[in-house]
Structures are given as structure tokens and as C-alpha cells.
Amino acid sequence: MATRTAPALDGGPGTDRRPRTGRFSATDLALIAGFAALTAVLAIAPPVYVPGNPAPITLQSLGVMLCGAVLGWKRGGAAILLMLLVGALGVPVLSGGRPVLAALQGPTVGFLIGYVVGAAVVGALVQARLPRAATWWFALACLVGGIGVVYLFGIPGMALRGNLSLPAAAAACLTFIPGDLIKAGIATVVAAAVHRALPGLTPPLRRR
């Protein structure tokens, strides 16, 4: 009696054999959870309030840059979104223990939205040059996504919820720039080192 041979599951050397769960593999989910936790842990550093600025200086924008630069646009954005969703359930994931739902109703609402979009933009820019992204490109990605995009959402949110004009809100954000530049430098060095040590951790946007 002839027997039927089951179709091969191995598609060849290039097949991704990682177990899949929906759109993300198990490895993806672990990385998303890990970087969400890392960004939440950065909340241990207390927020610094500058007179005249209703939004505090925190370390968490460093986590935003790292999520995007290391994980790529989809996983990086998902990590920040996961952190905010966990915070919306009552877990203190923001600097100073601020509740996420309360923060979404205050002058930091735009920054929190910008965190998700900014991480995705950083990741997309990095992935556009992988696997041969130069260190300067990581820096540019962090500056554009981790600072520019976050401010693009944060300034209008601060103006709306902080009862400020747009120019006043933009001027208030000037106090963030020195620290954000330092955080962009740290994220650049870390992400470039990770991708050198673990090539293939994050795929390019377009397969070459």
C-alpha cells in the first residue's frame, strides 16, 4: 500500500524556524516584553521639573530610542505601546509613579503618543540601512525619531493641556534638548554595538 509523505516543513536554509504567534514570533514577543520592561525600569530615576515647564525631564526617552534602534519599527513601537497599556492597568511605569491615564490627560499626553510613533520612526530609519548601518546613521535615527518626532507630538500636547501657546510650549521644550542629546548618544553607541554583535537580530526593511 502506498503511503503519503507529509509535506516538508523545512523550507530550506533561509527558512525562519522560530515559533510564530500571530504576527510576532516567540522571540519577538520576548524582546518586546523585555524592552517594554527596560523602558519602565528607567522610570526609577525621579522626574525633574524645571520652573515654567509643566512636563518633567525623565530618562524614559532613552528607552524609546533603544526600542526603535535595536528592535526595529514594528517591535520597537509595540514595546512602548505595551508599556503604556500595562501602565493603563495601574502599574506604575512612568517616572515618579505617575499613572498613565492621568498623564494622558495632562501636558505630557503628546509626549506619550510621540514615544510610540518616535520609536517606530527610529526603527524604520535604522532598518532602512541594515545590515550595513553606520554609527552616524543610528545617531541620525535617534535624533529624528527619538527627539524630533517626540517633540512634534509633545509640543502641541503641552500647549493644549498646559494652557500654553505653541511658541511658549516650544520654548519650554528647549530645556529637554541637552539631556536628549546625551540620551541619543548613549542609544547610538548601544544600538550600534548590539547590531554588530548580533547581526540579523533585526531584519532590514527590504530584503537584499
Side-chain angles (χ1 to χ4, degrees):
M1 179 183 294
T3 58
R4 291 186 179 181
T5 303
L9 296 178
D10 184 359
T15 301
D16 186 354
R17 298 172 182 167
R18 294 179 296 180
R20 295 284 175 179
T21 305
R23 294 186 179 182
F24 292 115
S25 71
T27 301
D28 290 335
L29 293 175
L31 288 170
I32 289 168
F35 274 76
L38 170 64
T39 307
V41 166
L42 291 174
I44 292 175
V48 177
Y49 286 89
V50 178
N53 191 337
I57 298 172
T58 76
L59 273 182
Q60 291 189 284
S61 53
L62 172 59
V64 172
M65 297 177 198
L66 286 173
C67 284
V70 174
L71 300 184
W73 79 268
K74 187 183 295 185
R75 296 181 301 187
I80 299 300
L81 183 59
L82 175 61
M83 182 196 73
L84 295 178
L85 289 174
V86 170
L89 296 176
V91 179
V93 298
L94 298 181
S95 183
R98 293 171 297 144
V100 167
L101 294 181
L104 289 173
Q105 298 175 41
T108 56
V109 57
F111 290 101
L112 297 183
I113 296 171
Y115 279 1
V116 179
V117 182
V121 171
V122 172
L125 289 172
V126 168
Q127 286 182 276
R129 291 294 184 93
L130 289 177
R132 293 183 292 275
T135 300
W136 69 265
W137 185 259
F138 285 98
L140 179 63
C142 289
L143 292 174
V144 171
I147 297 178
V149 171
V150 172
Y151 286 22
L152 185 64
F153 285 85
I155 291 173
M158 181 188 292
L160 180 63
R161 297 292 190 180
N163 296 317
L164 299 172
S165 65
L166 278 175
C173 285
L174 293 176
T175 59
F176 297 150
I177 291 178
D180 283 344
L181 291 176
I182 293 172
K183 286 177 273 188
I186 294 171
T188 294
V189 171
V190 172
V194 168
H195 285 289
R196 282 196 297 268
L198 300 170
L201 172 67
T202 299
L205 281 180
R206 295 181 180 180
R207 299 284 183 180
R208 290 185 173 90

